[in-house]
Amino acid sequence: MYFLMTVDVESFSIPLNKCDFETGRKVYKIGLPSLLDLFAKYDIKATFYFTGEMVKMFPESIEVVIEHDHEIGCHGYDHTPDRAFDILSYDEQVKELMKAKKVIESIAGRIKSFRAPMLRINEDTVKALESTGFLSDSSICSQRFDGFLTFGSRRKLKWLFAPRKPYFLSYNSIIKKGESKVLEIPISAAIVPYIGTTMRIFPRLIKIIQKFIFMESKRAGKPVVFLFHPNECLEVDTKIVTTKRTNNIFEYVLADYIRQRLKLRNLGKIAIRLLDDLLREAKKESFEFLSVYEYRKMYGRSI
């Protein structure tokens, strides 16, 4: 039984609903140290997906993660909806990936693992990842349904039909097995995603979801993949402003305003305590914690 603890590192501010330099600084100074201390407590190897923008602003942030012997992955260059991978062409995605790799690899060395900003990819992403040397993606969240509470929700409806176990991506469909060299390692979900946001908004519900996901892992050999963000470790110490990221009023109300209000729940010390409880339960169940790259190397051999 394998548990993949994954962390998306960006400068996105939940109270401001946009990327923000000061938030990036707090992620480096507060969020990352909080997570690194927690992972050290349970002797956990994790994968940290960095945006190139975050590394460019705070190169020390990636250095401190490397010092703790965790894997470094790529989370694209920036985290803005107008640069989401599912609306970019193949050439544009290759450009974004190379731009991010140049910044990240200048400090971390070669990286092989990718997760798209906002979990948005398309069929061109498969080819773009392969051509730029990535071996895995973890952007699909099988059988997850968010409705309109997320950007790109209509495109993400196809997740309901994606395989639940890891699979090599098809060049023709991101929800089908294929012949590419990119291994898709889906984020765990049971309609409700197994991620930090859900854990904070619905702490009792996540415990129920967790029991199902742990049982499935034991029965079917599916790795548990949990997603968290260092900005969830930050207390709300600024005015809450809902930055408008779309001209669609319906999408703005749901994906920006309402979702932002929900995501503001249980941030800071409470989020760290909830994650501590979750990891302790995983340890009790005897899960082995691996980085994404370690799992990718094992896939097809001992798994």
Side-chain angles (χ1 to χ4, degrees), residues 10 19 51-54 75-85 96 99-100 117-118:
E10 69 237 9
C19 289
T51 63
E53 186 178 57
M54 180 68 188
H75 196 40
Y77 186 78
D78 61 35
H79 209 274
T80 55
D82 62 346
R83 302 300 297 167
F85 275 64
E96 288 290 303
K99 184 179 179 181
M118 296 158 286

Side-chain angles (χ1 to χ4, degrees), residues 196-257:
T197 303
T198 310
M199 178 190 73
R200 292 184 296 101
I201 298 173
F202 308 112
R204 293 183 180 178
L205 176 60
I206 204 68
K207 291 182 180 296
I208 297 173
I209 297 299
Q210 179 172 275
K211 287 182 180 179
F212 169 80
I213 289 172
F214 283 8
M215 287 176 58
E216 179 185 38
S217 180
K218 294 176 183 179
R219 185 181 68 253
K222 178 186 182 299
V224 175
V225 182
F226 186 78
L227 182 160
F228 196 77
H229 299 83
N231 62 3
E232 298 180 74
C233 300
L234 307 179
E235 303 288 347
V236 179
D237 59 359
T238 186
K239 183 179 179 180
I240 298 171
V241 178
T242 307
T243 301
K244 188 175 182 180
R245 297 181 292 170
T246 175
N247 291 323
N248 183 313
I249 187 63
F250 184 59
E251 194 169 53
Y252 163 71
V253 171
L254 291 173
D256 273 328
Y257 186 83

Side-chain angles (χ1 to χ4, degrees), residues 10 49-53 73-101 104 111 113-134 136-140 151-152 155-156 158-159 169 174 182 184:
E10 69 237 9
Y49 294 99
F50 276 81
T51 63
E53 186 178 57
C74 176
H75 196 40
Y77 186 78
D78 61 35
H79 209 274
T80 55
D82 62 346
R83 302 300 297 167
F85 275 64
D86 63 348
I87 60 175
L88 298 180
S89 68
Y90 167 78
D91 289 338
E92 290 172 323
Q93 291 187 50
V94 169
K95 184 177 180 180
E96 288 290 303
L97 289 169
M98 292 305 295
K99 184 179 179 181
K101 277 172 68 76
I104 298 170
I111 52 175
S113 304
F114 176 78
R115 172 174 288 149
M118 296 158 286
L119 309 180
R120 295 174 60 174
I121 63 172
N122 60 23
E123 283 67 30
D124 284 332
T125 309
V126 183
K127 303 167 191 172
L129 289 174
E130 201 169 66
S131 67
T132 51
F134 286 96
S136 73
D137 174 67
S138 186
S139 304
I140 301 294
F151 276 100
R155 294 183 180 91
K156 291 176 181 177
K158 63 178 68 176
W159 283 353
L169 286 162
I174 58 175
V182 180
E184 181 63 39

